[in-house]
Amino acid sequence: MGFWHSKKLAEMSHEEWESLCDGCGQCCLHKLEDEDTGEVALTRIACDLLDLKTCRCTNYGRRVQLVPECLDLRQRDFAGYHHWLPKTCAYRLVGEGKDLPEWHPLVSGTKNSVKAAGMSVSHYALKASTLKPSEDYEDHIIEWLD
């Protein structure tokens, strides 16, 4: 049985916390929040720091300084962010008392399982810097991830 079954997020070591990230890149997609309803929509527009091939941040250690709107998922701050996370996110799942999916690297034993399961953003995401000035983020909302 994995550590995520016996520990709450706040009880995890730094290494355990970091290993929960499956590397899908979904948290690095720009989100839009409806001011009236609070509903959050994901777009296929990715942060420019995201390497679309590996779905990893190219400057993880300095991401919050370089991108102020970056979601810094620290254990102590998690409760305020969880509604912004994809429904498949391990942090959200564990925080809600749910199990990790079969394709999660901690379950499957391989990082390739994320891409093989179609959970990686690498095949549909666009870097924010590649948008044309006439394009709106609303034009890139992805509803099929819900």
Side-chain angles (χ1 to χ4, degrees), residues 57-71:
C57 184
T58 58
N59 202 333
Y60 186 74
R62 294 195 56 230
R63 70 193 183 287
V64 178
Q65 292 82 23
L66 298 171
V67 182
E69 62 273 9
C70 180
L71 293 177

Side-chain angles (χ1 to χ4, degrees), residues 38 45 79 87 119 122 125 143:
I45 309 304
K87 292 178 176 118
M119 300 310 296
S122 64
E143 297 175 18

Side-chain angles (χ1 to χ4, degrees), residues 9 23 45 78 89-91 102 108 139:
L9 290 169
I45 309 304
F78 177 76
C89 177
Y91 298 108
E102 293 177 10
S108 70
D139 298 333

Side-chain angles (χ1 to χ4, degrees), residues 2 6 25-26 29-30 38 51 57 72 84 88 91 100 108 111 114-115 117 121 126 129 133-134 136 140 144:
S6 60
Q26 290 183 40
L29 297 177
H30 286 270
D51 179 325
C57 184
D72 186 9
W84 281 85
T88 59
Y91 298 108
L100 300 180
S108 70
K111 290 190 181 282
V114 178
K115 204 173 225 182
V121 303
L126 302 171
S129 59
S134 61
D136 261 342
H140 296 280
W144 49 268

